[in-house]
Amino acid sequence: MWPRVSGSTNTIQTELIMTEYTQNPFTPTHSLDMNPFDDPTPTQAAEDSIRVEELRRREHDLERREQELSQRAEHIRTHGRNNWPPFYPLIYHSISEEIPEASRPLITRLYQLWLILLATLVINMVACIFLLVAGSSDGGKDLGGSIGYLFIISSLSFLLWYRPIYNGYMKEQALYYYFYFFFGGFHLLFSVYMIIGIPSTGSAGLIQTVQMYASGHWAAGILATIATVGWTVQGLGNAFYYRQIWNHHAAAGHTMDKAKAELASHGAKAYFTRG
C-alpha cells in the first residue's frame, strides 16, 4: 500500500518516527557518551590524587613550622634570645638570620678561624705541659702563659675583633669596622709572635718545636708542631680576610669622621647592645 501523501508535513514526520520506533523499540534516543554520571577519566583521577598529596604536604609543613615556632617561643620565654655559647647562652649569634646573604660566607669563615684559634689555644696549652715534662728550663713560664692565653685571648678575640666585624656587616656602621681594624691588626701581630715560639712566652711555636725534636722529645715536638700549624693557619686566614674587609670598608664609604658621628649620635653603649 502506498503511503499517504495528503496532510501536513508534521503528520508525515510523526508517522516516520512511529514506524522507526515500532521496528526497533530499544534504540537509545541519546548518546551514552554524554552521561553526566560517568566515572572520571584516569587523567582526572591522577590530578585529584596530586592535589590531595599537595594538600597533605602543605598541612605537614604547617604543622612542622607551628611546632618550630612553639619550641622557639618556649626557648625565648625560658632563656631569652641568647643562644651562644650553647652551654651557657650569653649573647645572640646567628649568621643566617642577622648577616646579609652576600656577606654570610665571609663571616662564616671568620667564625671558623676563631674556632681554629680556640682549638690552637687548647693544643698550645697541652704542648706546654709536655714541654714542662720534657724538662724545658722555661716550662713553668710557658705553661702559665699558655693557660692565661687560653682564657684571655679566647674571650678578648671574640669580643674585640670577631664580634665587631660581625656587627659591622650586620649594621654597616663605620665604628665597628675601626674596632675590628685596630684589634684585628693587633691579633695578627700576636699570631706572628706565637708562631715564632720564643721560650718562656707561653708559645709552643717554631723555636720550641725545633728544640723538642733536637732533644729527642717527639711527643712534645709533635704537639708543638700542631700548635704552630694552628697559629699559622688562623693567622694567614685572618690576614687574607683582613684585606677583603678593608676593601669592603673603603668601597662602602666608611670614614673616621663617620665613625665619630655615629659614636656621638648613639653613644658607646649602643655598640654593646642588640639595638
Side-chain angles (χ1 to χ4, degrees):
M1 179 183 293
W2 295 96
R4 291 178 304 170
V5 295
S6 62
S8 65
T9 304
N10 292 336
T11 304
I12 297 174
Q13 291 177 348
T14 301
E15 290 179 355
L16 289 174
I17 292 174
M18 291 299 296
T19 302
E20 181 180 359
Y21 179 78
T22 303
Q23 294 175 354
N24 190 3
F26 299 102
T27 301
T29 59
H30 60 277
S31 175
L32 293 176
D33 293 337
M34 301 301 293
N35 191 344
F37 299 102
D38 282 347
D39 293 334
T41 64
T43 302
Q44 292 176 338
E47 291 177 355
D48 292 340
S49 178
I50 292 173
R51 292 193 190 98
V52 171
E53 185 64 26
E54 180 69 15
L55 290 174
R56 289 177 180 174
R57 186 184 63 80
R58 291 182 181 180
E59 183 179 0
H60 182 268
D61 288 342
L62 289 174
E63 291 177 355
R64 179 179 55 81
R65 293 178 184 178
E66 183 178 358
Q67 184 177 4
E68 290 177 354
L69 290 174
S70 299
Q71 292 176 352
R72 184 178 300 179
E74 179 64 20
H75 181 272
I76 293 175
R77 186 185 66 82
T78 306
H79 306 287
R81 283 179 57 83
N82 297 337
N83 64 351
W84 195 95
F87 56 87
Y88 191 76
L90 295 173
I91 60 174
Y92 184 74
H93 178 269
S94 178
I95 295 175
S96 61
E97 293 184 10
E98 295 191 305
I99 304 300
E101 184 176 359
S103 303
R104 288 173 193 168
L106 185 146
I107 299 301
T108 301
R109 296 294 180 271
L110 288 177
Y111 181 62
Q112 291 170 347
L113 287 172
W114 182 84
L115 293 176
I116 292 175
L117 169 64
L118 184 62
T120 302
L121 287 167
V122 174
I123 295 172
N124 181 76
M125 183 190 68
V126 176
C128 287
I129 294 175
F130 277 76
L131 293 176
L132 178 63
V133 174
S136 174
S137 58
D138 296 315
K141 294 180 181 179
D142 286 322
L143 179 58
S146 65
I147 294 173
Y149 292 150
L150 176 60
F151 291 100
I152 296 173
I153 298 301
S154 60
S155 57
L156 290 183
S157 61
F158 187 90
L159 294 174
L160 296 180
W161 64 260
Y162 172 73
R163 194 63 177 176
I165 197 58
Y166 178 96
N167 289 336
Y169 273 86
M170 178 177 65
K171 301 180 181 181
E172 280 300 335
Q173 294 180 349
L175 189 59
Y176 285 117
Y177 286 90
Y178 285 99
F179 268 116
Y180 167 77
F181 291 136
F182 179 78
F183 292 107
F186 177 80
H187 177 72
L188 292 178
L189 295 176
F190 174 77
S191 297
V192 174
Y193 172 76
M194 297 299 286
I195 290 171
I196 295 173
I198 302 172
S200 76
T201 61
S203 169
L206 283 173
I207 296 176
Q208 298 274 40
T209 301
V210 172
Q211 289 181 350
M212 289 299 103
Y213 283 127
S215 60
H217 296 93
W218 292 95
I222 292 173
L223 287 170
T225 300
I226 297 174
T228 303
V229 171
W231 289 118
T232 304
V233 169
Q234 65 85 32
L236 291 176
N238 276 295
F240 175 78
Y241 289 112
Y242 190 95
R243 180 179 178 83
Q244 284 196 5
I245 293 169
W246 180 271
N247 293 336
H248 171 81
H249 143 83
H254 297 307
T255 62
M256 182 60 72
D257 291 337
K258 185 177 179 181
K260 292 178 180 178
E262 291 172 359
L263 182 61
S265 175
H266 303 295
K269 185 179 179 180
Y271 291 88
F272 298 95
T273 63
R274 305 305 303 151

